[in-house]
Amino acid sequence: MSNQLTPLLDKDRQQLVKIRHTCAHVLGMAVQTLFPETKVTIGPWTETGFYYDFDRLTPFTPEDMKKIEGEMRRIIKANLPIIREVVDRAEIQTEIAELNEPYKLEILESIPETESITRYFIGSPDGGRGNIPEQQPSLINPVLVPPDTCWWDLCAGPHLNFTGEIHPEAFALESVAGAYWQGDESKPQLQRIYGTAWETPEQLQAYLTQKEEAQRRDHRKLGQQLKLFSIQEDAGGGLVFWHPRGAMMRYLIEDYWRNAHLEDGYQFLYTPHVANLDLWKTSGHWDFYRENMFEAMAVEHQTYQIKPMNCPFHVLTYKDDLHSYREFPLKWAELGTVYRYEKSGVLHGLMRVRGFTQDDAHIFCLPEQIADEILGVLNLTEKILSDFGFTDYEVNLSTRPEKSVGSDQVWQLATEALIKALNNKQWNYLEDRGGGAFYGPKIDIKIKDAIGRLWQCSTIQVDFNLPERFGMEYVAADGSRQQPIMIHRAIFGSLERFFGILIENYAGDFPLWLAPIQLRLLPVSDEQQDYAKTVAIRLKKAGYRVEVDTSGERLGKQIRLSELEKIPVVAIVGKREVESQTLSIRTRQGGDLGTITVADLRERFKIAITNKKAF
């Protein structure tokens, strides 16, 4: 399927954002028109559409969804004006209380006193057709009041000027799901209606086609079908069990990763899974990341914390010796397993888990080495991602946020170094001003998969925080003690999530070099079993992953099973093949390739695997 199947959301395209944001309001208006007893909460736009959370005792049914969608089209075709109004905080508080909309009162109370309050009407309050141009757009904080002539929502925008600017055939409601108010399990459970919206019906159809294809490629379904991994609820949610075939693929991925890093001058570390809580207080994780950490444990009157990050361990390893500027850059990498608390409602196969292995690395260098080291990371990232089949990226540069640590000088130095590296790489990038971490600027790389979806994987971050917190030093050329530059980087992000992306990208049809079983020998009868097993032993000794079908099933069923299990190459072994000491080869991509010798098969395997190509 073409990568151009579906246009992806460009967040700079404000028109698409306005369409989706306005659709959320139209949805809210439609629901309260049809079901006046419903309470409304928030309704933001998303990367593929919009949603709105409602408080209603009766669950929305498929028939309700059809009615709501129909009412939305009626509102859109009415071409009602969308009017922005700045309101007095006390007056709007009274109005919301009279409407008995408790969630909107909470939203109002959460808005700082220094900020103005705005609402957007669908339809003029006076019944006219006037329009007040909206101001600078920002994210939504939606809701309501439906008199007969209009409906409104507390909101910061942005929105369209008229509902008729939405194409009535370019949106669709998709599903209903449960959602806790403000994401807090102790608060009321709401009903969230999801929708998608685009500029044209053709874009909508392309998105729906992509969505259907994505369901076919769902890594959770394929993971079970291909016997790759499982999530065992008896052990707990979000914990991955790698089955033999999936574990083989993980071994191949890790082996490739290690070799690539050794060639690039990295050294490896292994660090513990737990540490004294004081370490996480020093690093700042206890203050800034506590809600994502599991509860601490008591060990001999001390408190230990299972690690959510590898970084502090690498810092401690660094501090174990006094380093000279002559040693830099130091490049340390680790496949380090970390554990983070995620609520059960957000766990999702391999994509969102509680225990995962990061392909972590940290580079300690001099200020003048930053640009070259970043360029080196970009080159390594390109090589690794390309070998796994990803050659199309979206690159984002995130700069200094309002709240940050570090001097202006060091921020400017690091940001300019990132820009220089990207320019030397000749990669186009989007700038996210103020989107950097509080401890330093960063580069994020999103890979595009076979059906055009973007996945956040690689990240490169300059860190001014940990070196300062831990008092890291090196001996400079003039004999003084200076603070090193610390660069965090990951290429896969995590092995689990990257594996899930691989499954969906290839739809389980892995390239020969990655396939857990590269060749399956299919004996036509028991008389050919010995020859098949002899061939399998020879190929295994040569380093290939081979198995013999010993099921005793008829050949047709053996072939069908191999197809279902997406085995790249199968070799049919009959009486003729035994007599001629050959194999009849059949591949998933090329079909029947005829009869070849075992020696020829080995050579063709070697070439295909070395070049990471199909057989």
Side-chain angles (χ1 to χ4, degrees):
M1 184 167 293
S2 169
N3 284 357
Q4 304 304 315
L5 176 64
T6 302
L8 296 165
L9 173 61
D10 178 352
K11 292 179 181 177
D12 292 329
R13 293 177 61 204
Q14 287 298 316
Q15 181 68 8
L16 191 51
V17 171
K18 289 178 181 178
I19 287 171
R20 292 171 174 174
H21 203 164
T22 303
C23 272
H25 279 217
V26 172
L27 170 58
M29 182 177 184
V31 167
Q32 289 205 310
T33 299
L34 294 170
F35 310 102
E37 78 286 359
T38 303
K39 306 298 181 186
V40 292
T41 61
I42 59 169
W45 59 273
T46 69
E47 288 193 359
T48 57
F50 58 95
Y51 69 79
Y52 211 118
D53 289 348
F54 301 99
D55 189 352
R56 181 170 180 255
L57 292 177
T58 306
F60 289 111
T61 66
E63 291 73 22
D64 292 336
M65 295 285 278
K66 291 178 183 178
K67 291 178 183 178
I68 294 168
E69 200 169 84
E71 179 64 16
M72 290 178 68
R73 288 196 172 88
R74 186 192 69 78
I75 294 169
I76 289 168
K77 291 177 180 179
N79 198 26
L80 299 174
I82 299 170
I83 301 172
R84 179 180 183 272
E85 180 183 51
V86 179
V87 296
D88 177 78
R89 183 181 293 265
E91 290 180 2
I92 200 68
Q93 185 174 24
T94 300
E95 192 170 344
I96 293 174
E98 289 174 353
L99 289 167
N100 190 26
E101 288 285 356
Y103 299 102
K104 286 308 169 181
L105 280 177
E106 284 193 48
I107 290 174
L108 180 65
E109 291 167 359
S110 70
I111 301 174
E113 293 288 341
T114 55
E115 293 185 13
S116 60
I117 309 297
T118 58
R119 65 174 165 180
Y120 281 81
F121 286 92
I122 296 180
S124 299
D126 58 2
R129 300 284 294 174
N131 181 54
I132 303 172
E134 62 182 17
Q135 304 301 312
Q136 186 68 26
S138 58
L139 291 177
I140 180 173
N141 242 345
V143 106
L144 80 79
V145 37
D148 293 336
T149 55
C150 70
W151 183 92
W152 62 261
D153 199 349
L154 283 181
C155 184
H159 288 286
L160 301 169
N161 292 324
F162 293 89
T163 60
E165 294 177 53
I166 302 169
H167 195 297
E169 302 304 323
F171 84 93
L173 298 185
E174 297 184 278
S175 62
V176 183
Y180 290 104
W181 172 234
Q182 297 180 335
D184 188 337
E185 295 176 2
S186 67
K187 294 184 177 180
Q189 187 172 39
L190 310 171
Q191 294 184 68
R192 176 172 295 177
I193 295 181
Y194 287 98
T196 187
W198 301 85
E199 293 184 85
T200 66
E202 291 76 17
Q203 289 179 342
L204 172 62
Q205 186 54 53
Y207 164 76
L208 295 175
T209 301
Q210 184 199 61
K211 183 179 178 182
E212 182 179 348
E213 178 65 13
Q215 291 173 346
R216 185 181 76 83
R217 294 167 177 261
D218 190 321
H219 74 281
R220 296 166 297 177
K221 179 181 68 177
L222 288 172
Q224 182 177 20
Q225 176 186 324
L226 301 179
K227 304 175 183 177
L228 300 174
F229 74 92
S230 64
I231 307 293
Q232 298 289 337
E233 294 302 327
D234 288 346
L239 303 174
V240 181
F241 286 69
W242 296 76
H243 293 211
R245 293 182 187 178
M248 172 55 72
M249 291 190 68
R250 174 169 175 158
Y251 166 80
L252 295 168
I253 293 168
E254 289 184 356
D255 193 49
Y256 170 93
W257 183 90
R258 289 190 178 93
N259 289 332
H261 281 73
L262 285 174
E263 290 174 6
D264 206 56
Y266 283 81
Q267 297 173 298
F268 297 138
L269 300 181
Y270 290 95
T271 59
H273 287 241
V274 297
N276 193 296
L277 183 60
D278 289 342
L279 177 67
W280 307 107
K281 291 181 178 179
T282 302
S283 70
H285 289 98
W286 183 249
D287 293 324
F288 301 112
Y289 204 72
R290 191 183 313 179
E291 69 274 10
N292 296 105
M293 298 165 66
F294 284 100
E295 289 189 12
M297 65 188 83
V299 180
E300 294 183 348
H301 308 296
Q302 295 189 41
T303 304
Y304 278 69
Q305 175 67 52
I306 191 167
K307 68 175 177 179
M309 305 280 185
N310 298 303
C311 325
F313 292 85
H314 291 202
V315 171
L316 290 186
T317 304
Y318 176 94
K319 284 175 63 67
D320 202 49
D321 286 311
L322 179 61
H323 298 279
S324 164
Y325 73 96
R326 294 186 180 89
E327 299 176 58
F328 289 163
L330 286 173
K331 299 159 68 172
W332 292 345
E334 177 182 14
L335 291 171
T337 301
V338 299
Y339 302 89
R340 298 180 187 174
Y341 172 66
E342 299 279 6
K343 293 182 178 180
S344 58
V346 302
L347 298 176
H348 180 77
L350 297 175
M351 304 303 189
R352 196 78 175 264
V353 294
R354 288 174 173 159
F356 57 93
T357 301
Q358 290 183 310
D359 63 320
D360 234 344
H362 296 92
I363 299 172
F364 304 100
C365 64
L366 305 173
E368 60 268 26
Q369 294 174 327
I370 300 176
D372 287 342
E373 290 310 310
I374 297 297
L375 180 59
V377 173
L378 294 178
N379 288 335
L380 181 61
T381 299
E382 181 179 37
K383 169 182 167 47
I384 290 177
L385 294 180
S386 296
D387 281 346
F388 282 93
F390 301 105
T391 57
D392 200 352
Y393 322 120
E394 178 185 289
V395 182
N396 294 274
L397 170 69
S398 300
T399 59
R400 187 176 191 173
E402 289 186 13
K403 295 182 179 181
S404 60
V405 298
S407 67
D408 293 343
Q409 180 182 3
V410 74
W411 268 91
Q412 182 177 355
L413 175 70
T415 304
E416 289 176 353
L418 296 182
I419 293 172
K420 181 180 178 181
L422 287 170
N423 289 337
N424 287 342
K425 190 64 182 167
Q426 297 184 333
W427 277 3
N428 295 324
Y429 62 90
L430 301 172
E431 184 175 346
D432 180 11
R433 296 196 177 189
F438 75 93
Y439 51 77
K442 63 176 181 172
I443 294 171
D444 290 319
I445 299 173
K446 298 178 182 178
I447 57 177
K448 184 182 286 188
D449 71 8
I451 59 174
R453 296 172 299 177
L454 288 175
W455 300 92
Q456 170 65 54
C457 283
S458 310
T459 186
I460 308 166
Q461 303 176 358
V462 182
D463 187 351
F464 312 129
N465 179 53
L466 289 184
E468 182 177 335
R469 280 180 169 270
F470 282 93
M472 299 175 68
E473 293 180 336
Y474 69 91
V475 179
D478 62 2
S480 65
R481 301 291 180 92
Q482 301 293 331
Q483 184 173 294
I485 297 294
M486 181 176 183
I487 299 172
H488 304 254
R489 50 113 293 199
I491 296 175
F492 297 142
S494 83
L495 289 181
E496 286 76 7
R497 188 167 182 273
F498 188 73
F499 188 47
I501 295 169
L502 278 176
I503 294 171
E504 298 202 3
N505 180 67
Y506 288 109
D509 270 320
F510 302 111
L512 186 65
W513 77 278
L514 263 181
I517 302 170
Q518 295 171 317
L519 171 68
R520 178 175 287 167
L521 297 159
L522 309 180
V524 174
S525 69
D526 288 344
E527 294 176 2
Q528 289 85 44
Q529 282 283 348
D530 288 344
Y531 174 67
K533 291 177 180 177
T534 299
V535 171
I537 290 171
R538 288 173 59 189
L539 292 172
K540 286 180 180 179
K541 286 182 177 179
Y544 303 116
R545 298 182 292 281
V546 185
E547 69 177 26
V548 178
D549 189 316
T550 58
S551 66
E553 297 286 355
R554 292 186 177 184
L555 181 61
K557 188 169 182 179
Q558 291 183 48
I559 293 173
R560 285 195 298 274
L561 181 61
S562 296
E563 284 289 318
L564 287 174
E565 295 182 10
K566 302 182 187 291
I567 307 299
V569 184
V570 297
I572 297 170
V573 182
K575 181 178 180 181
R576 184 179 59 185
E577 285 74 26
V578 174
E579 291 174 350
S580 60
Q581 297 289 285
T582 59
L583 299 168
S584 291
I585 300 299
R586 179 189 184 100
T587 70
R588 287 184 59 77
Q589 285 77 22
D592 291 325
L593 300 184
T595 301
I596 63 175
T597 65
V598 176
D600 286 342
L601 177 68
R602 286 178 55 179
E603 187 61 27
R604 292 183 64 171
F605 260 46
K606 180 180 179 181
I607 293 171
I609 291 169
T610 299
N611 297 321
K612 295 181 172 55
K613 302 293 185 183
F615 180 76

